[in-house]
Amino acid sequence: MVTNHRMPRNEEGIATVVGVLKQQFGDRFQTGEAIREQHGHTTTWLENQWPDAVVFARDKDEIAAIVKVCATHKVPVIPFGTGTSLEGHVNAPAGGICIDVMQMDKILAVYPDDLSCVVQPGVTREQLNTHLRDQGLFFPIDPGANASLGGMAATSASGTNAVRYGTMKDNVMAVEVVMADGRTIRTAQRAKKSSAGYDLTRLMVGSEGTLGLFTEITLKLQGIPEAISSARCTFPSVDAACQTVMQVIQYGIPVARIELLDALQVKACNAYSKLDLPEEPLLLLEFHGSDAGVIEQAEMFGSIAVEHGGGGYTSTTSTEERNKLWQARHDAYWATLQLRPGAMGISTDVCVPISRLAECVSQAQERLKADAFISPIVGHVGDGNFHCLLLIDKANEDEMERAAVFVSWLNDLAISMDGTCTGEHGIGQGKMPYLERELGAATVDAMIAIKMALDPDGIMNPGKIVHG
Amino acid sequence: MMTPTSEQELSECVSQAKGPIAIKGGGTRGVGVDGDVLNTNGLKGIDLYEPGALTVVVKAGTELSEIETTLAGERQRLAFEPMDYRGLLGLEGEPTIGGIVAGNISGPRRIQVGAARDFTLGVRFVDGQGTIVKNGGRVMKNVTGYDLVKLMSGSWGTLGVLSEVSLKVLPMPEAEATLRVHGLDLNDAVGAMAAALGSPYDVSGAAHLPNNDTGVTMIRVEGFTDSVSYRTAQLREALAKFGGEITVKENADDAWAAVRDVENFHGKDGDVWRISVKPSDGPAVVAAIDPLEAQFDWAGGLVWVRTEQGSDVRAKLSGITGHATLVRGTGQPRFQPETIGVAALSAGLRQRFDPRGILNAGLMTA
Ligand SMILES: Cc1cc2nc3c(=O)[nH]c(=O)nc-3n(C[C@H](O)[C@H](O)[C@H](O)COP(=O)(O)OP(=O)(O)OC[C@H]3O[C@@H](n4cnc5c(N)ncnc54)[C@H](O)[C@@H]3O)c2cc1C
Ligand SMILES: Cc1cc2nc3c(=O)[nH]c(=O)nc-3n(C[C@H](O)[C@H](O)[C@H](O)COP(=O)(O)OP(=O)(O)OC[C@H]3O[C@@H](n4cnc5c(N)ncnc54)[C@H](O)[C@@H]3O)c2cc1C
């Protein structure tokens, strides 16, 4: 386990708040160890730090009331969706109250003419898309987990569609937030007056629960494309695949998805998803558009791929074949874990300018090989973002140590290429040391200033992003 | 007047300032505030342009025209098509990229690709104490803490003076075509625009210019040649049910520049307001205001109106959610007053970034 930063606990405040909330919430207030452990960090090698209690909230008034009590007694509040975040985002290093929002799972309104909808934070992305399907609409952001939209907004999640549809930052139009003092604001109103001031929406999106808790989210929707086709193509090297990606992006071919799987990842997926893809570096693509458009895009891609030595190019408009391929991509994490049963997966998350992608991926591959790690590489390469998934034996200290050195080396490499240590997973606790390395002390100070302005007592999800 | 020629000098100008500073790029956006003028014209130049990475890094005082010319040389462009306010405001000068990012200045293509802030990948700025801060960079996405990049865009200089911005650029499309539906009333026009945007044909502009009763509704598609002609034909069919005569024009750049810059209002009297609502509320806005003249962009979500001088447009809009900006005229605050909770947050942010309250003071408060 990687130990986290310790923070002082406000024992007296916590005891008082626990007493008050227990009275008010009865069964929906839980202090059992199993539940508390589940509501701490569970997804990676970061140590699990439990909250003192978990409240299952049902509406925004309850949330405002809980936050007010916590504010009065200066007790931490940790918002919780599905708990799939990867950097210790939901840990409680100073204890406190976890607010689980998964019972707030209503889709409040869909406006087909305005291509927007309003949801409660506990709605999951799959639930929303199932609801929208009949109306010819969809919501494009698809992180690997079936996360809550509140959690996705809080981490500014993205997925395989980002190259065309952007990240949560591009798709959240407004949020209703309970702030650290228990007051509720809307970053942009459907109420009487609306503001054209600072972009508080995008300040809140990606703030990892450290500035406030979302109680409603207004999302931008897309019409389901007339046609969707998918394609795959193998390459002699990861470098050739990356060169192809760069050219596709530069040509402006509006690919909806362009994902890289290295040979080891293909092997893992073949075994897990019962496929027989050639075990070489692979690009998986999807095109969205009109009937004619997707054929045109696929052909243009094909000709660029051939120039870079791509082979075995196939494309299909069959929904069944397409779903099978993308299901395999989405299951890549589980497939990888099977390469070394019992091992833990640690995902890196660097993102670099497209022009440096080939170089960055190649260097990562070489070093993984030199260090003898079992670690496939998958990437949302259209954005310059890729993950190495290191399979580590938790019991082996030396291995843990070497993995930590690798992660640090890769983050620094990306930063040296004008890139970032995190393209989509966020800072949480795990990446706090890199924030200053990447952005400099003055920028971290500016972030601390924001934290102090909005949450002066530092009760909202403390110990994440910055120490306020 | 101060005209720093480096970020370091800019930082000194701000930290040593004794009173309010009025930040000036090209001075083309009609932002009048009191204070010592700080001109960004000394901070000029394209620092790094890498067509293959779809990114350009420029100093804040660089003129838009220079950037556009450079990008055009590689058949690339700033896809958010920033509006030019000069005609509307009767101003001269050269728009700078700093002003565009600070004001989040966008154009008709926003409904498809996003606004200026969505294309701003990184910023460097000097806060109200003179501290140099940077955030973001040249990557297409990152989640490194609070998004100062988006916060700066749309803050009109009140949180910091931009010194450098890094932007995402896109390839120019091979072809463009614009459908014009003639003679629709406002409701049908908004219906037609919603139908076009909800269709799978990837519309990159939806505007309506009411012209007495022979209004023109414009729908734009862009992309590869075959795809544009296919989509144009499909849209023509889909929009037939609205009844207006439909014509198609290729390369309608000028017509879209006219929409973007609200050319219909140029050289005419009265106040000009820019109103943001949800697109389906567009007709209700016009009905509530009863302006001298109106125009819809963003499928109805952006309503431009020209009114008699001194009209209190905001009062007339009560009941419709959205916000109104006074672009030309006096007597009302420029920006929509904020609700109490939001105003407190904004004031808190200003207090942290500019504790002396010297940067474009008062611009964003009523
Ligand atoms: C197998 C796997 C694959 C993944 N793939 C991707 C991927 O492709 N792309 C990607 O971006 N991420 C990915 N992730 C990470 C994770 O799924 C995302 O970060 C997701 O957005 C987290 O959502 P959640 O509901 O699980 O949030 P949680 O983990 O419950 O919470 C995450 C953060 O958001 C805060 N939060 C939660 N709800 C709210 C709320 N209502 N208001 C305010 N703050 C709140 C929490 O306090 C915490 O800081 C993956 C994770 C796994 C396990
Ligand atoms: C109340 C309202 C509802 C809207 N609903 C829709 C819609 O359903 N579909 C659609 O395509 N566009 C919607 N829009 C967006 C609108 O068409 C413009 O694109 C947008 O407001 C542009 O704002 P701006 O350029 O004036 O300033 P910006 O600086 O871009 O935005 C100003 C403020 O408006 C807010 N805002 C943007 N979208 C919404 C929204 N959906 N709800 C509430 N606030 C918002 C922003 O968060 C910001 O605080 C809505 C705008 C408003 C104000």
Side-chain angles (χ1 to χ4, degrees), chain A residues 115-449:
Chain A
L115 294 173
S116 65
C117 70
V118 184
V119 300
Q120 289 189 327
V123 174
T124 65
R125 64 171 181 84
E126 286 178 7
Q127 182 194 345
L128 178 61
N129 277 322
T130 305
H131 181 89
L132 293 173
R133 200 167 299 144
D134 295 345
Q135 315 194 38
L137 299 169
F138 78 110
F139 180 70
I141 316 297
D142 65 336
N146 182 23
S148 72
L149 289 159
M152 286 169 61
T155 56
S156 191
S158 53
T160 59
N161 281 311
V163 61
R164 171 147 180 168
Y165 300 102
T167 70
M168 285 303 276
K169 220 153 253 178
D170 304 291
N171 290 281
V172 175
M173 298 176 110
V175 283
E176 180 186 73
V177 200
V178 172
M179 303 298 296
D181 58 4
R183 271 195 305 189
T184 301
I185 63 148
R186 275 174 177 276
T187 54
Q189 307 282 93
R190 280 193 178 268
K192 213 161 147 227
K193 269 187 192 160
S194 160
S195 73
Y198 302 133
D199 192 349
L200 300 177
T201 306
R202 287 176 189 75
L203 181 60
M204 294 295 165
V205 173
S207 65
E208 302 185 358
T210 65
L211 299 178
L213 194 150
F214 303 146
T215 49
E216 268 181 38
I217 306 161
T218 305
L219 298 168
K220 189 158 127 190
L221 302 175
Q222 303 287 333
I224 293 179
E226 180 182 59
I228 300 180
S229 75
S230 62
R232 61 183 167 86
C233 188
T234 49
F235 290 86
S237 66
V238 161
D239 184 68
C242 292
Q243 299 292 349
T244 305
V245 172
M246 182 165 140
Q247 209 166 336
V248 166
I249 298 296
Q250 208 174 339
Y251 265 50
I253 301 176
V255 287
R257 293 169 152 167
I258 183 161
E259 298 276 312
L260 170 75
L261 286 73
D262 76 350
L264 183 57
Q265 184 66 63
V266 175
K267 184 175 164 196
C269 289
N270 274 345
Y272 187 84
S273 302
K274 315 218 166 7
L275 300 171
D276 55 358
L277 301 166
E279 292 178 1
E280 287 172 68
L282 175 78
L283 285 182
L284 273 187
L285 295 99
E286 191 167 276
F287 307 104
H288 291 181
S290 58
D291 291 324
V294 296
I295 295 172
E296 185 182 35
Q297 290 179 45
E299 280 171 359
M300 292 182 70
F301 169 77
S303 60
I304 294 175
V306 167
E307 275 173 44
H308 293 279
Y313 174 71
T314 56
S315 77
T316 174
T317 49
S318 142
T319 313
E320 199 184 328
E321 274 179 59
R322 178 160 51 85
N323 287 349
K324 198 168 165 203
L325 215 52
W326 286 104
Q327 192 56 46
R329 165 63 190 91
H330 269 126
D331 289 340
Y333 174 78
W334 310 110
T336 301
L337 294 183
Q338 298 306 311
L339 288 173
R340 189 179 180 192
M344 177 181 53
I346 293 301
S347 179
T348 65
D349 186 32
V350 297
C351 187
V352 292
I354 297 288
S355 53
R356 307 298 293 272
L357 179 69
E359 198 186 339
C360 194
V361 176
S362 303
Q363 287 197 36
Q365 256 197 333
E366 272 165 38
R367 170 112 188 207
L368 286 170
K369 202 167 155 202
D371 286 357
F373 283 117
I374 303 177
S375 169
I377 292 179
V378 282
H380 311 304
V381 279
D383 314 315
N385 182 212
F386 69 92
H387 309 297
C388 304
L389 194 65
L390 284 80
L391 293 175
I392 308 296
D393 174 4
K394 270 194 285 194
N396 184 332
E397 266 178 47
D398 170 61
E399 218 177 294
M400 293 271 280
E401 174 63 31
R402 285 188 303 119
V405 171
F406 173 83
V407 170
S408 171
W409 166 83
L410 182 59
N411 289 345
D412 286 336
L413 177 69
I415 293 169
S416 77
M417 291 178 166
D418 271 359
T420 175
C421 67
T422 180
E424 55 182 24
H425 295 161
I427 299 294
Q429 296 175 308
K431 293 223 172 66
M432 283 173 70
Y434 298 98
L435 195 62
E436 183 161 337
R437 259 141 89 180
E438 187 168 323
L439 299 174
T443 304
V444 173
D445 284 347
M447 290 186 188
I448 292 173

Side-chain angles (χ1 to χ4, degrees), chain A residues 113-115 155-156 158 164 169-170 179 185-186 189-191 193-200 202-203 207 210-211 225-226 246 249-252 290-292 296 300 351-353 355 380 383 385 418-420 422-427 435 438-439 442-443 447 449-454 465, chain B residues 50-54 117-118 131-136 138-148 150-151 154-155 158-159 171 194 197-198 200-202 224-227 230-231 234 278-280 318 320-323 325 335-339 341-342 344-346 348-350 352-353 364:
Chain A
D113 283 347
D114 294 316
L115 294 173
T155 56
S156 191
S158 53
R164 171 147 180 168
K169 220 153 253 178
D170 304 291
M179 303 298 296
I185 63 148
R186 275 174 177 276
Q189 307 282 93
R190 280 193 178 268
K193 269 187 192 160
S194 160
S195 73
Y198 302 133
D199 192 349
L200 300 177
R202 287 176 189 75
L203 181 60
S207 65
T210 65
L211 299 178
E226 180 182 59
M246 182 165 140
I249 298 296
Q250 208 174 339
Y251 265 50
S290 58
D291 291 324
E296 185 182 35
M300 292 182 70
C351 187
V352 292
S355 53
H380 311 304
D383 314 315
N385 182 212
D418 271 359
T420 175
T422 180
E424 55 182 24
H425 295 161
I427 299 294
L435 195 62
E438 187 168 323
L439 299 174
T443 304
M447 290 186 188
I450 291 176
K451 173 79 173 166
M452 305 277 281
L454 273 54
I465 303 183
Chain B
E50 211 186 331
L54 300 181
R117 70 159 67 85
D118 302 308
T131 308
I132 297 168
V133 182
K134 65 159 193 173
N135 192 213
R138 292 201 301 134
V139 281
M140 292 300 155
K141 61 182 194 192
N142 69 57
V143 278
T144 41
Y146 306 139
D147 200 330
L148 305 179
K150 310 288 186 231
L151 186 62
S155 68
T158 60
L159 299 178
L197 274 182
Y201 306 120
D202 220 357
F224 296 109
T225 310
D226 291 350
S227 153
Y230 173 82
R231 286 183 282 146
Q234 295 299 103
K278 70 173 154 43
S280 54
S318 69
I320 302 173
T321 62
H323 59 264
T325 308
F335 294 104
Q336 179 95 26
E338 299 178 305
T339 50
V342 171
L345 289 188
S346 299
L349 291 173
R350 264 195 302 277
R352 297 281 169 175
F353 280 85
M364 293 198 70

Side-chain angles (χ1 to χ4, degrees), chain B residues 176-180 218-221 247-250 252 256:
Chain B
E176 180 264 321
T178 296
L179 289 97
R180 294 162 182 263
M218 295 165 57
I219 306 290
R220 174 170 67 184
V221 287
T247 56
V248 174
K249 186 171 173 358
E250 280 165 28
W256 284 102

Side-chain angles (χ1 to χ4, degrees), chain B residues 26-274:
Chain B
T28 63
R29 313 246 164 232
V31 177
V33 291
D34 294 332
D36 238 5
V37 173
L38 189 157
N39 201 315
T40 63
N41 287 351
L43 302 164
K44 261 194 188 158
I46 298 177
D47 292 328
L48 176 62
Y49 174 33
E50 211 186 331
L54 300 181
T55 51
V56 62
V57 182
V58 289
K59 295 213 169 66
T62 312
E63 287 166 7
L64 174 66
S65 53
E66 181 189 341
I67 299 170
E68 286 184 326
T69 309
T70 305
L71 298 183
E74 298 286 337
R75 294 204 45 77
Q76 294 188 337
R77 67 180 179 186
L78 298 177
F80 56 93
E81 64 181 336
M83 174 186 179
D84 186 342
Y85 276 78
R86 285 175 294 185
L88 204 53
L89 301 177
L91 293 173
E92 288 176 7
E94 279 298 317
T96 64
I97 196 66
I100 287 165
V101 170
N104 187 30
I105 308 294
S106 313
R109 205 175 287 107
R110 178 176 187 165
I111 48 169
Q112 185 202 29
V113 299
R117 70 159 67 85
D118 302 308
F119 284 83
T120 309
L121 301 175
V123 292
R124 295 179 66 93
F125 64 94
V126 169
D127 74 9
Q129 311 258 53
T131 308
I132 297 168
V133 182
K134 65 159 193 173
N135 192 213
R138 292 201 301 134
V139 281
M140 292 300 155
K141 61 182 194 192
N142 69 57
V143 278
T144 41
Y146 306 139
D147 200 330
L148 305 179
V149 180
K150 310 288 186 231
L151 186 62
M152 290 307 289
S153 184
S155 68
W156 293 91
T158 60
L159 299 178
V161 188
L162 292 170
S163 50
E164 185 186 274
V165 297
S166 152
L167 301 167
K168 175 179 180 179
V169 300
L170 286 180
M172 286 186 186
E174 202 174 87
E176 180 264 321
T178 296
L179 289 97
R180 294 162 182 263
V181 191
H182 299 269
L184 301 188
D185 67 16
L186 296 184
N187 282 311
D188 281 344
V190 165
M193 292 190 285
L197 274 182
S199 80
Y201 306 120
D202 220 357
V203 166
S204 73
H208 177 74
L209 309 177
N211 191 352
N212 301 323
D213 39 40
T214 61
V216 181
T217 313
M218 295 165 57
I219 306 290
R220 174 170 67 184
V221 287
E222 297 170 289
F224 296 109
T225 310
D226 291 350
S227 153
V228 166
S229 47
Y230 173 82
R231 286 183 282 146
T232 311
Q234 295 299 103
L235 278 165
R236 189 190 259 276
E237 243 171 69
L239 298 179
K241 65 171 185 236
F242 293 93
E245 187 207 345
I246 302 180
T247 56
V248 174
K249 186 171 173 358
E250 280 165 28
N251 305 319
D253 284 0
D254 291 349
W256 284 102
V259 168
R260 184 193 69 192
D261 301 341
V262 209
E263 260 174 35
N264 277 349
F265 294 9
H266 291 189
K268 297 181 188 164
D269 294 340
D271 292 349
V272 174
W273 290 82
R274 175 188 185 278

